[in-house]
Amino acid sequence: MIESIHEFWTVYGSLITGGAVIISAILAFVTIYSNRKMAKRRGTLDLIMHIESDGDLIAARKEFIKLKKGEFNSAKWGKEDEKDSEEANNIRTTLNVNELVAVSIKEGVIDEMVFRRWFNGAYIDDYQTMTGYLNEVRNYKNNPKIFCEFEALAKKWQDDKDWDGKPNWMTRKWKAICNIFAA
């Protein structure tokens, strides 16, 4: 009996050991991936909670929303002579948060789907109503890159015809794979 165990281990031992190492490595990668995904979601929720509870951001957002209501010409507040006005400061504060979100999503720091499910309509509306402001600020500062991440993300969300408020994982994963090979 001992000879048969020894013979079995001599023949198959390296395969069993190698298989165990491969399975352990796969499980480690799955665990790391899962932990990173949860950390991104947690970071996203922390950011949303900060945006929704910070007094200065709430006040700026309230004033920003008041400005957007009615007849609103965002380009007026983007001119250089208005840059120090309270209205321009509220607009800038709100758009800076939007730019930070766009950069964070692009860099993979926060989860796009979680953030989008919370702010989708408001984010796109902010971009649509502020295009005049963006153009004016870019012109007087002679910098076409100002708020470019915000603009790119808002346009992406605006053009996404598959969005229904729920993550359509297969469609999105397939598009992501296609984009990798298209580049």
Side-chain angles (χ1 to χ4, degrees), residues 91-116:
I91 291 169
R92 203 169 28 258
T93 298
T94 302
L95 295 185
N96 281 336
V97 170
N98 289 345
E99 181 77 358
L100 173 67
V101 165
V103 169
S104 297
I105 287 172
K106 186 174 183 178
E107 294 299 321
V109 175
I110 63 173
D111 188 291
E112 181 176 2
M113 289 296 109
V114 172
F115 191 86
R116 185 172 182 186

Side-chain angles (χ1 to χ4, degrees), residues 138-153:
R138 289 171 181 163
N139 284 337
Y140 95 73
K141 289 194 174 194
N142 196 26
N143 184 351
K145 296 293 185 182
I146 293 175
F147 297 115
C148 68
E149 301 293 342
F150 164 55
E151 180 176 42
L153 184 62

Side-chain angles (χ1 to χ4, degrees), residues 5 18 21 40 42 61 76 93 102 127 140 152 164 173:
I5 293 172
V21 168
K40 272 176 73 170
R42 180 62 199 181
R61 180 83 189 166
K76 171 187 174 187
T93 298
Y127 169 69
Y140 95 73
D164 60 0
K173 296 297 180 193

Side-chain angles (χ1 to χ4, degrees), residues 64-111:
F64 177 77
I65 290 168
K66 283 182 190 175
L67 283 173
K68 288 187 342 179
K69 289 185 178 179
E71 293 187 33
F72 176 68
N73 177 10
S74 67
K76 171 187 174 187
W77 303 109
K79 295 186 184 302
E80 187 171 8
D81 58 335
E82 292 289 341
K83 71 180 179 182
D84 294 324
S85 69
E86 185 178 338
E87 292 85 352
N89 285 330
N90 290 327
I91 291 169
R92 203 169 28 258
T93 298
T94 302
L95 295 185
N96 281 336
V97 170
N98 289 345
E99 181 77 358
L100 173 67
V101 165
V103 169
S104 297
I105 287 172
K106 186 174 183 178
E107 294 299 321
V109 175
I110 63 173
D111 188 291

